[in-house]
Amino acid sequence: MCGIFGCVLKDGNAAPLIHSSLKRLEYRGYDSVGIATIFNDKIHLKKDMGKIDEVDKILNLDDMPGSIGIGHTRWATHGAPLKVNSHPHADCTGEIMVVHNGIIENFMDLKTELQNLDHTFVSKTDTEVAAHLIEQTLKNNPKLDLVGAVQESLKRIEGSYALAVISTREPDKIVCARNESPLVLGVNGKGVFCASDIPAFLPITNKAVMINNGELVILSPKGYEIRKISDSSPVIREPITIDWTAEMAVKQGYPHFMIKEIHEQPETLRNTLRMQDHYLDLLSTFLDRANEVFLVACGTSYHACLAASYMFSKLAFLPTYPVYGSEFVEQHGKSVSIDSTILAVSQSGETADTICSVTCAQQRAATVLSLTNTIGSTLTRISRVYIGTQAGPEIGVAATKTFTSQLSVLAQLALRLAKKRGKISQDEIDHLEEQLVRLPDTVDTIVKTQEQKIKIIAEKYKDAKVFFFLGRGISTATAFEGRLKLMEIAYIPAIAFPAGESKHGPISLIEDGFPVVFVCPKDETHKTVIGNVMEMKARGAHIIAVIEEGDEEIKSLADDYVEIPKGVPSVLSPIPFVVPLQLLAYYTALAKGYNPDMPRNLAKSVTVK
Ligand code: AGP
């Protein structure tokens, strides 16, 4: 997730406006910043790594001439957060500048093709190919104008993008376009603007035009013109009035970041499906060679590791050991060796216990691999190979979208390894891959159809003194995560364990009205889970079940239930099944009058780059 902004003013300097607008988009990424303007038919460019204020102190971003320009604030996905990888990116001639938010999936193929045509690349980003591709398209078709060249280039780009392009060839316009990354226009009497999000321009105008997938826009002093990328057909769309306050706008109209981020999961899950093949391959090769694999993490990330241990075992027949970051040194510090591989998982890439485990393992010559949401974090710097979760910045202290993204990447890794090891049939792999692709829509359906119901359940149980969260198999990890969410933001003590363990002690706590949340996908554990539900019910527990749609058996036993669309394979089930539990925690916190974005005594780890 990055933030882009562009403006064409009728009069005056664009740079100060771009600078202040990027500041309001900094929540989308803060690894680097850059602005390009056009003045007297020349490009003026300032960019560097670091937060906007830090870069501004050195470069004075406002001091750039020209009434037209584009800007970018970056959350690194391809290429480290360095100056060379900062946007805007240029073609070989420096005449074309591009800013981009999204992931160009086929950038390696395009880059190779363009390098063979003598294009020189300076960055490691996927975005730079767009600049060179436009340049090459113009070279191949000298009669094309900038709009035509951008349009033809976009037809060859696969993946997600919101991009904005300027060129000295046609210095009076910005060409921008969208596919699966947000893009919105702002208009007022002084000019036209394009941005990743409304807060960017809200202080200057509340008139906005939403841009849809497959659309291209030409911004000029005359206004804006929208066309379809596929056939140039014109699109007529009038501005709408936005009545959000600035604070609401940053949260896109949601009252809290946590609920915004829960709702973002269809989009963030879609992004995880655009992993770079090369890194998945590399990681799975290291895992394949390992004698012992530790999955090390804390909190929510540990729960992703717990789920992953089931995925690796069931799909790739690889035994792995999930270990809490805070326990690793004590538990395995002496035995970890050159034969060990550590896969560390961390949203921030900075969690002290995780880093400490990794350092310990490294000192004993173990191989360190990692999965993180923060490229450039300590973890990426000390790992042999790392891969990003592509979830964009997560502001809510309670991890939500980063958890489901971690699960999706880990599932892809397990599948890649399964393929390599030939442990399960190609048919099964194909089926799981198809189901993985359907998950963003499944999560979308859950949020759309179950949210109101969960709100009512939260209201009903908000005064409970304690909760149980139970699941079997991989759903144990889901239950653990549901419990952590409820405890950390609604401050209700909760206990989670594998459902089969309930009769070995915990069941003695059950009395009339005790709420027990069961995670019950329709997998091989289903029958035994029904037994556990009945045991609890017989002792007066109130059963709240997360079930597959149409699971009449559990419906008839449950006091309350939430339904997940049918057909999610067991190994992928934590991704959709955790969503109702995130919502339950959120609405319980609200019902009790707490701010879910600011749980007491907790803060998110941040990266110091
Ligand atoms: C969960 O909601 C918390 N934010 C916390 O458990 C978190 O997952 C843990 O501190 C680990 O953080 P990391 O993923 O950044 O390493």
Side-chain angles (χ1 to χ4, degrees):
M1 192 154 97
C2 303
I4 69 165
F5 185 81
C7 78
V8 180
L9 295 178
K10 289 182 182 156
D11 214 0
N13 272 11
L17 187 69
I18 300 173
H19 173 192
S20 57
S21 302
L22 289 178
K23 266 303 289 171
R24 290 186 290 273
L25 289 178
E26 209 171 15
Y27 73 92
R28 301 181 64 86
Y30 37 76
D31 289 330
S32 66
V33 60
I35 296 178
T37 59
I38 303 183
F39 182 65
N40 279 349
D41 297 341
K42 270 179 65 185
I43 296 282
H44 295 257
L45 174 67
K46 288 187 180 181
K47 62 177 187 176
D48 209 343
M49 62 187 273
K51 292 194 169 142
I52 298 178
D53 286 349
E54 295 161 4
V55 174
D56 180 47
K57 237 184 229 160
I58 299 163
L59 297 181
N60 190 3
L61 294 170
D62 289 353
D63 185 21
M64 298 174 75
S67 57
I68 176 169
I70 53 177
H72 187 271
T73 180
R74 176 166 188 249
W75 184 256
T77 58
H78 295 53
L82 300 171
K83 178 175 179 180
V84 75
N85 293 326
S86 314
H87 299 218
H89 288 286
D91 68 328
C92 294
T93 64
E95 286 176 2
I96 299 167
M97 288 282 156
V98 180
V99 289
H100 164 229
N101 169 37
I103 299 168
I104 299 177
E105 285 165 30
N106 58 340
F107 90 98
M108 284 307 284
D109 293 343
L110 291 172
K111 189 168 175 172
T112 310
E113 176 187 321
L114 291 159
Q115 277 170 329
N116 289 338
L117 292 167
D118 284 341
H119 286 261
T120 307
F121 283 78
V122 295
S123 81
K124 294 255 186 296
T125 65
D126 51 338
T127 304
E128 196 184 349
V129 295
H132 292 277
L133 188 61
I134 297 165
E135 177 192 8
Q136 187 60 40
T137 309
L138 283 164
K139 230 184 240 170
N140 296 346
N141 312 279
K143 285 193 184 136
L144 275 184
D145 58 4
L146 182 66
V147 179
V150 172
Q151 190 175 352
E152 288 312 306
S153 303
L154 291 177
K155 288 180 185 165
R156 299 210 48 212
I157 288 178
E158 290 163 21
S160 60
Y161 53 77
L163 50 77
V165 183
I166 54 173
S167 169
T168 51
R169 289 168 173 242
E170 292 174 50
D172 62 335
K173 60 174 68 82
I174 295 177
V175 183
C176 54
R178 167 186 175 153
N179 186 49
E180 288 188 30
S181 293
L183 184 67
V184 57
L185 309 184
V187 286
N188 69 10
K190 295 184 176 152
V192 277
F193 323 99
C194 61
S196 295
D197 204 352
I198 291 168
F201 52 68
L202 199 60
I204 43 177
T205 179
N206 63 352
K207 299 274 179 258
V209 183
M210 306 298 169
I211 301 304
N212 296 334
N213 287 338
E215 291 177 350
L216 170 148
V217 189
I218 306 148
L219 303 179
S220 73
K222 285 188 260 163
Y224 66 92
E225 187 190 325
I226 309 175
R227 294 180 192 172
K228 288 239 160 55
I229 297 170
S230 54
D231 60 4
S232 298
S233 56
V235 176
I236 307 297
R237 195 169 302 135
E238 295 301 322
I240 53 167
T241 303
I242 304 291
D243 53 9
W244 296 347
T245 61
E247 204 213 333
M248 279 165 78
V250 176
K251 295 180 192 149
Q252 286 174 340
Y254 291 102
H256 300 100
F257 283 110
M258 183 179 173
I259 191 70
K260 170 178 174 281
E261 287 159 359
I262 290 174
H263 277 246
E264 271 170 17
Q265 290 178 113
E267 182 194 331
T268 47
L269 282 169
R270 244 169 238 127
N271 285 341
T272 61
L273 300 173
R274 304 195 169 101
M275 283 291 128
Q276 283 185 60
D277 254 14
H278 170 65
Y279 288 103
L280 280 177
D281 259 345
L282 209 56
L283 280 170
S284 59
T285 303
F286 275 111
L287 290 173
D288 193 27
R289 283 190 208 144
N291 282 338
E292 58 176 4
V293 177
F294 296 104
L295 308 174
V296 181
C298 299
T300 293
S301 299
Y302 170 78
H303 299 148
C305 289
L306 187 57
S309 67
Y310 289 83
M311 296 172 183
F312 284 125
S313 168
K314 284 177 180 252
L315 301 177
F317 295 18
L318 175 77
T320 56
Y321 307 99
V323 188
Y324 287 109
S326 54
E327 286 298 315
F328 183 82
V329 175
E330 283 300 316
Q331 211 175 347
H332 302 285
K334 290 277 188 276
S335 56
V336 65
S337 70
I338 194 164
D339 293 327
S340 318
T341 293
I342 314 296
L343 174 57
V345 178
S346 170
Q347 184 286 127
S348 60
E350 298 294 343
T351 299
D353 288 326
T354 305
I355 300 295
C356 184
S357 310
V358 165
T359 314
C360 158
Q362 248 178 353
Q363 279 161 357
R364 299 186 58 91
T367 303
V368 174
L369 315 173
S370 66
L371 168 61
T372 177
N373 195 38
T374 318
I375 310 299
S377 59
T378 305
L379 192 56
T380 60
R381 294 197 291 263
I382 59 180
S383 301
R384 178 109 179 239
V385 186
Y386 63 83
I387 192 158
T389 22
Q390 322 272 27
E394 188 174 61
I395 314 281
V397 170
T400 52
K401 63 174 181 169
T402 54
F403 178 62
T404 46
S405 291
Q406 286 168 347
L407 291 170
S408 172
V409 179
L410 289 164
Q412 290 176 65
L413 207 48
L415 277 169
R416 192 57 64 105
L417 195 55
K419 229 180 242 178
K420 212 168 238 140
R421 299 185 139 206
K423 295 292 184 186
I424 58 171
S425 71
Q426 188 59 45
D427 274 1
E428 205 173 334
I429 291 177
D430 291 348
H431 172 70
L432 287 165
E433 282 177 347
E434 274 163 31
Q435 294 302 319
L436 197 61
V437 170
R438 291 176 57 180
L439 282 180
D441 289 344
T442 305
V443 169
D444 198 34
T445 308
I446 296 166
V447 174
K448 285 197 177 118
T449 60
Q450 305 296 301
E451 188 166 7
Q452 287 313 312
K453 199 171 177 183
I454 296 167
K455 221 173 175 173
I456 295 166
I457 297 174
E459 195 58 52
K460 180 168 163 188
Y461 293 99
K462 70 172 193 300
D463 295 320
K465 296 279 169 286
V466 56
F467 268 77
F468 267 9
F469 284 80
L470 305 179
R472 271 185 178 260
I474 198 167
S475 300
T476 305
T478 318
F480 272 51
E481 178 56 11
R483 167 239 195 184
L484 175 62
K485 289 285 91 83
L486 187 76
M487 284 205 306
E488 73 175 325
I489 60 165
Y491 316 140
I492 300 182
I495 305 167
F497 44 85
E501 279 295 293
S502 53
K503 50 180 176 291
H504 300 292
I507 199 161
S508 65
L509 281 175
I510 299 295
E511 52 186 23
D512 234 15
F514 193 117
V516 181
V517 178
F518 271 97
V519 183
C520 329
K522 242 183 162 177
D523 58 12
E524 52 283 3
T525 67
H526 190 251
K527 280 267 164 301
T528 36
V529 167
I530 291 180
N532 298 129
V533 172
M534 285 162 92
E535 279 163 14
M536 290 288 162
K537 203 168 165 66
R539 286 157 181 84
H542 274 193
I543 310 296
I544 306 161
V546 186
I547 58 170
E548 189 180 286
E549 212 172 33
D551 182 347
E552 299 304 329
E553 276 176 291
I554 298 194
K555 255 193 212 174
S556 66
L557 296 170
D559 295 86
D560 296 281
Y561 60 86
V562 178
E563 289 179 284
I564 305 296
K566 278 188 180 165
V568 178
S570 178
V571 283
L572 304 179
S573 65
I575 298 174
F577 277 74
V578 78
V579 175
L581 305 184
Q582 297 169 340
L583 288 165
L584 179 68
Y586 175 77
Y587 284 110
T588 308
L590 287 198
K592 292 176 79 71
Y594 302 130
N595 179 348
D597 279 347
M598 288 183 190
R600 65 189 176 214
N601 310 328
L602 289 172
K604 234 176 167 65
S605 302
V606 288
T607 301
V608 184
K609 292 177 185 172

